Amino acid sequence: MAQQPRNGRAPSVKDVAAAAGVSLGTVSNVLNRPAVVSSATRERVERAMAELGFIRNESARQLRAGTSRALAYVMLDGGNPFFQDVAEGIEQAADAADLSLFVCNSGGRAERESKHLDRLIQQRVQGILITPVDPDAPHLADIARRGIPFVMVDRLSSAGGHCSVAVDDVLGGRIAVEHLIDRGHERVAFVGGPSSIGQVRERCQGAREVWEEFGRPADDLIHLPTEALTVSEGRSAGERLAGLPSRRRPTAAFCANDLLALGLLQHAVTAGLRVPDDLAIVGFDDIDFAAAAAVPLTSVRQPRQELGRTAARLVLDEATNPDHRHEQATFVPALVARASTGAPRR
Amino acid sequence: MAQQPRNGRAPSVKDVAAAAGVSLGTVSNVLNRPAVVSSATRERVERAMAELGFIRNESARQLRAGTSRALAYVMLDGGNPFFQDVAEGIEQAADAADLSLFVCNSGGRAERESKHLDRLIQQRVQGILITPVDPDAPHLADIARRGIPFVMVDRLSSAGGHCSVAVDDVLGGRIAVEHLIDRGHERVAFVGGPSSIGQVRERCQGAREVWEEFGRPADDLIHLPTEALTVSEGRSAGERLAGLPSRRRPTAAFCANDLLALGLLQHAVTAGLRVPDDLAIVGFDDIDFAAAAAVPLTSVRQPRQELGRTAARLVLDEATNPDHRHEQATFVPALVARASTGAPRR
DNA sequence: TTGTAGGCGTTATCAT
DNA sequence: ATGATAACGCCTACAA
């Protein structure tokens, strides 16, 4: 690959054509319909391409094609490995389709999200995957209205005007609390917030439903609200929990996600509570760090990468299949029991 | 924004011009040199743009400009939060420059890395940031030769043919082991591998240097090799460590990164070893999960986001400043002492 | 101040 | 089988 970038610009089909002594159309044919070119010329052209270090210019192809060869994912919280795993699933699918992936992080801030979306629309990405700050934000509707393939990740579509991929969060909450009831716990805390987050509301709701169905007194399911789904909020919830009068103190906690659970675990250990004997803990998401904790965390598993792969599949279907129908893909969460909820109590 | 996407295509400057009753050049002026347009026409054009929902087509701008408005980062291991934090720093800088960011993950596989690079070159990204599988791989040199701005992240450039950003890993290793010596430990393990990874070699070297300088017998610095820098490899190192005859068993371990340290911690706790009393642990990177562990981990801190921001700054300088000089930015790591190494022993 | 024209690199259509 | 040409949307001289 002996470069001689004529005045800084990368070599184009035109340069290749000149070098190979053929017309520009022929070079294009070699690239896109090699069968139609005689093997002699094809070889000559290919040699020229190699010598010049020719690489197709995506921008030009995009301009012609009207759409880019890229997808985009706008994450809600880049600091949460859950979303990174979803992103990895998306990247796998994008790779398989030979597409590039823009990864953005809104960090939970609507205005950053909106700015990212603007940029992505300018880029004419083939499709946008997003775990939105607010599923009902108007700028999301704009995207669909623009006809840009669009999939909501980790949130079910309310209106059904687009595809979505999520697990059944209510069911997840049910599974978690059922497990704790099963373990003999009679006072349980739900740790999570803010309730502006749909996932939190639904996981909490599932917890409540089961608690009621088992005929437990509503007062024995204590809600410890948090301001975010972070480790440090988990720690602070732990402090509040430890501060409860012992007759009210729960013997188990169901946390709205694993980060909270890890924070809670840390505080419990620091405060000298034994896990699971003094306090059992269940998290949600089953990120890798849940299994890696000093006391491995029981967690409600979401098929993280598969969420991503499915979302990518849907967005590509919408982008390429004229008969595309919007689809709400729902996955079933599963309990992964580990040491943090210990052995059965009864 | 009342859309009427004429036959599916997004509205172009031409459409805006027609709607506003001006020429296409004027629309362009409104976009790029608003000062030169009379406020009356400008307003008319802006209204037309809003009504049509006009958004500039990046591909076309790129084609003209010869380069895209995007950067790219190729990560070595997407499962390690360290790289995610670096990526976040890069994204911050990219955002500030109004650039999009392609994020790719080589997963430590040279062939995936190479494939990603090919795609990124096709995309004509403004610059490529990479934490390479092998800093000496020929496909990296190709990039520089193509004149694509290029920065190596978390690895110093050997040859100096490009910019790089890293911390002083040897110093990091020194700091860690000095801390352990300071705590009175006389038998220490270095946990890490494979030695094909430069960072591992250098952190190990730093550990050795200090050990020697303090006149400690080489045999008392035990190397527990691992096959990767992962939690599960940390666990397995823990098993081997616990299996050592007690007179040889180290009282402290320095792990080449935090994932190993977390795995080691988990095994220690499971095996009934008290941390730090029976086994002190030092990690490397200071990812958020180090501080979040049940026994908060002492770690050698890298300025993760700042690494990313600096790398982005350098690549942008190379992209825009004709007088750019390649630069090897080196940061100084710092020990963050936490419970996993406990209080002084003497 | 506004309009016109040419070209960025690629692809596809139409002739040859 | 190959070559010439127009078009994608935008930007920037230059002309009016």
Side-chain angles (χ1 to χ4, degrees):
Chain A
M1 193 175 34
Q3 256 87 322
Q4 42 181 51
R6 59 115 169 71
N7 76 31
R9 272 205 179 283
S12 74
V13 277
K14 211 192 268 179
D15 300 312
V16 175
V22 298
S23 91
L24 156 172
T26 301
V27 177
S28 177
N29 280 335
V30 171
L31 287 168
N32 303 300
R33 309 127 85 172
V36 93
V37 182
S38 81
S39 59
T41 22
R42 186 173 56 225
E43 211 168 293
R44 204 144 40 91
V45 169
E46 277 164 352
R47 188 161 37 243
M49 296 200 294
E51 268 170 23
L52 268 57
F54 168 80
I55 294 199
R56 280 154 125 114
N57 182 326
E58 232 342 88
S59 325
R61 303 184 74 190
Q62 281 177 32
L63 178 57
R64 252 295 320 191
T67 176
S68 81
R69 298 197 54 75
L71 294 182
Y73 178 43
V74 184
M75 283 190 293
L76 184 59
D77 174 12
N80 187 341
F82 169 76
F83 294 107
Q84 301 292 354
D85 292 340
V86 172
E88 189 164 332
I90 296 171
E91 210 206 344
Q92 288 166 9
D95 269 7
D98 201 39
L99 297 173
S100 299
L101 179 65
F102 286 111
V103 176
C104 314
N105 177 17
S106 71
R109 304 225 307 273
E111 110 255 9
R112 278 188 65 184
E113 179 178 285
S114 177
K115 204 179 151 200
H116 280 132
L117 291 175
D118 285 350
R119 252 213 301 271
L120 295 171
I121 298 174
Q122 289 187 207
Q123 299 275 7
R124 298 294 193 271
V125 292
Q126 285 214 2
I128 294 179
L129 310 176
I130 185 170
T131 304
V133 177
D134 170 11
D136 300 318
H139 57 239
L140 296 187
D142 285 357
I143 295 182
R145 199 160 344 119
R146 277 214 152 69
I148 300 174
F150 170 72
V151 174
M152 203 133 89
V153 180
D154 195 38
R155 202 82 270 276
L156 279 191
S157 163
S158 33
H162 46 78
C163 290
S164 66
V165 176
V167 303
D168 185 336
D169 283 305
V170 176
L171 177 56
R174 296 181 60 101
I175 293 173
V177 170
E178 199 164 350
H179 174 69
L180 290 174
I181 290 175
D182 220 46
R183 287 287 193 250
H185 294 279
E186 308 206 322
R187 279 192 312 285
V188 169
F190 172 77
V191 178
S195 57
S196 58
I197 300 178
Q199 288 86 335
V200 172
R201 282 198 307 275
E202 296 183 358
R203 290 167 197 177
C204 182
Q205 181 195 327
R208 286 225 177 85
E209 284 179 11
V210 167
W211 196 251
E212 227 168 78
E213 285 169 24
F214 274 78
R216 301 298 171 88
D219 281 356
D220 288 345
L221 183 65
I222 296 157
H223 186 177
L224 292 176
T226 61
E227 289 180 7
L229 301 175
T230 60
V231 172
S232 87
E233 281 292 306
R235 245 180 244 128
S236 111
E239 287 167 21
R240 274 172 288 147
L241 189 150
L244 289 174
S246 62
R247 56 168 173 65
R248 282 211 66 208
R249 169 148 9 110
T251 58
F254 165 42
C255 301
N257 81 352
D258 285 337
L259 298 183
L260 288 173
L262 287 171
L264 182 63
L265 171 65
Q266 187 184 46
H267 182 80
V269 169
T270 306
L273 293 176
R274 287 165 308 159
V275 176
D277 307 272
D278 299 325
L279 181 68
I281 301 178
V282 181
F284 204 110
D285 289 347
D286 195 30
I287 60 176
D288 290 338
F289 289 98
V295 181
L297 277 180
T298 294
S299 189
V300 178
R301 179 178 178 276
Q302 302 203 53
R304 310 182 303 279
Q305 298 198 358
E306 196 176 351
L307 284 174
R309 282 194 299 268
T310 304
R313 193 175 51 69
L314 290 176
V315 89
L316 288 178
D317 186 68
E318 182 169 354
T320 56
N321 175 3
D323 300 329
H324 172 82
R325 304 284 318 252
H326 291 322
E327 193 176 318
Q328 323 300 323
T330 311
F331 289 86
V332 175
L335 188 89
V336 182
R338 300 200 183 88
S340 73
T341 51
R345 289 199 159 197
R346 50 168 183 190
Chain B
M1 192 173 38
Q3 255 88 322
Q4 41 180 55
R6 56 116 171 72
N7 75 32
R9 271 207 179 284
S12 75
V13 278
K14 211 193 271 181
D15 300 312
V16 174
V22 298
S23 91
L24 158 171
T26 301
V27 177
S28 178
N29 280 335
V30 171
L31 288 168
N32 304 299
R33 309 127 84 173
V36 95
V37 182
S38 80
S39 58
T41 18
R42 187 173 57 225
E43 210 168 294
R44 205 145 39 89
V45 170
E46 276 164 354
R47 189 161 36 244
M49 295 199 295
E51 268 170 22
L52 268 58
F54 167 79
I55 294 198
R56 279 153 125 113
N57 182 326
E58 246 319 286
S59 328
R61 303 185 74 191
Q62 280 176 34
L63 178 56
R64 245 227 72 123
T67 176
S68 81
R69 299 198 54 75
L71 294 182
Y73 177 44
V74 185
M75 283 191 292
L76 183 60
D77 174 11
N80 187 342
F82 169 77
F83 293 108
Q84 301 292 353
D85 292 340
V86 172
E88 189 164 332
I90 296 171
E91 209 206 345
Q92 288 167 8
D95 269 7
D98 202 40
L99 298 173
S100 300
L101 178 66
F102 286 111
V103 176
C104 315
N105 177 18
S106 71
R109 304 225 308 273
E111 111 255 8
R112 279 189 64 183
E113 179 178 285
S114 178
K115 204 178 151 201
H116 280 132
L117 290 174
D118 285 349
R119 252 213 303 270
L120 295 171
I121 297 174
Q122 289 187 203
Q123 299 275 6
R124 298 295 193 271
V125 292
Q126 285 214 1
I128 295 180
L129 310 176
I130 185 170
T131 304
V133 176
D134 169 10
D136 300 318
H139 58 238
L140 296 187
D142 285 358
I143 295 182
R145 200 163 342 121
R146 278 214 152 70
I148 299 174
F150 170 72
V151 174
M152 204 133 91
V153 180
D154 195 38
R155 203 82 270 275
L156 279 191
S157 163
S158 34
H162 46 78
C163 289
S164 66
V165 176
V167 303
D168 185 335
D169 284 304
V170 175
L171 178 56
R174 297 182 60 101
I175 293 173
V177 169
E178 200 165 349
H179 174 69
L180 290 174
I181 291 175
D182 219 47
R183 287 288 193 253
H185 294 281
E186 308 205 322
R187 279 192 312 285
V188 169
F190 172 76
V191 178
S195 57
S196 59
I197 300 178
Q199 288 86 333
V200 172
R201 282 197 307 274
E202 297 183 358
R203 290 166 197 179
C204 181
Q205 181 194 329
R208 287 225 177 85
E209 284 179 11
V210 168
W211 196 251
E212 228 167 78
E213 286 169 24
F214 273 79
R216 300 298 172 88
D219 280 357
D220 288 346
L221 183 64
I222 295 155
H223 187 176
L224 292 176
T226 62
E227 288 178 9
L229 300 175
T230 59
V231 173
S232 87
E233 281 292 305
R235 244 181 244 129
S236 110
E239 287 167 22
R240 275 172 286 147
L241 189 150
L244 290 175
S246 61
R247 57 170 173 62
R248 282 211 67 209
R249 167 145 13 108
T251 58
F254 165 41
C255 300
N257 81 352
D258 285 338
L259 298 183
L260 287 173
L262 288 170
L264 182 62
L265 171 65
Q266 187 184 47
H267 182 80
V269 170
T270 306
L273 293 177
R274 287 165 308 158
V275 175
D277 307 272
D278 298 326
L279 181 68
I281 301 178
V282 181
F284 205 109
D285 289 347
D286 195 30
I287 60 176
D288 290 337
F289 288 98
V295 181
L297 277 181
T298 295
S299 189
V300 178
R301 178 178 178 276
Q302 301 204 51
R304 310 182 301 281
Q305 299 198 358
E306 196 176 350
L307 284 175
R309 281 193 299 267
T310 304
R313 192 174 54 67
L314 290 175
V315 89
L316 288 178
D317 186 70
E318 183 168 354
T320 58
N321 176 3
D323 301 330
H324 172 83
R325 305 283 318 252
H326 291 323
E327 193 176 318
Q328 323 301 322
T330 311
F331 288 87
V332 175
L335 188 89
V336 182
R338 299 201 184 87
S340 73
T341 50
R345 290 198 159 197
R346 50 168 185 191

